[in-house]
Amino acid sequence: MTLERLLNSVGKRTFVKYYYNFKNHSRQYCISNFDEPFTEKAKASKTGHAQMVFKNRLEKDALVLISKSNRVDETTKEKALEILSIDFQYK
């Protein structure tokens, strides 16, 4: 599965919003801590795809892709750049 496909399955905004949950917590914790009223199946799917990004060490590439995307809002792009700066010293 390509990085773009993984991100589309999670949602770029969702990936950025819950980045540290996906990175640092268990699958069950992530599923239990969504603010949005997604179905349990959707929560599980989004979490699984997001954690696959981390398992394959694609999180930096994902954040760069999101920060350059024309299909996400400016707040999400800024948050992606902030995470890149903190976690990867990206400029």
Side-chain angles (χ1 to χ4, degrees):
M1 189 173 278
T2 67
L3 176 57
E4 186 68 37
R5 179 73 181 105
L6 287 171
L7 286 175
N8 286 341
S9 295
V10 178
K12 292 178 178 84
R13 189 175 68 95
T14 300
F15 183 81
V16 172
K17 181 176 180 179
Y18 296 103
Y19 177 87
Y20 289 108
N21 281 2
F22 295 139
K23 178 181 178 184
N24 298 321
H25 295 287
S26 71
R27 176 180 172 83
Q28 192 53 51
Y29 177 92
C30 293
I31 291 169
S32 299
N33 283 279
F34 278 99
D35 293 333
E36 298 81 5
F38 299 130
T39 65
E40 288 302 307
K41 186 175 178 179
K43 291 176 185 179
S45 175
K46 288 174 182 297
T47 298
H49 287 99
Q51 289 184 330
M52 199 177 302
V53 172
F54 288 97
K55 180 181 174 193
N56 291 314
R57 300 175 193 242
L58 297 171
E59 60 270 26
K60 181 179 180 183
D61 293 339
L63 291 166
V64 169
L65 195 144
I66 292 166
S67 73
K68 295 179 178 181
S69 175
N70 293 325
R71 301 191 72 185
V72 297
D73 60 89
E74 287 303 314
T75 303
T76 300
K77 288 181 185 185
E78 289 169 11
K79 182 67 176 169
L81 288 169
E82 180 183 321
I83 295 168
L84 279 165
S85 174
I86 293 167
D87 284 14
F88 301 98
Q89 292 72 49
Y90 181 87
K91 297 183 186 216

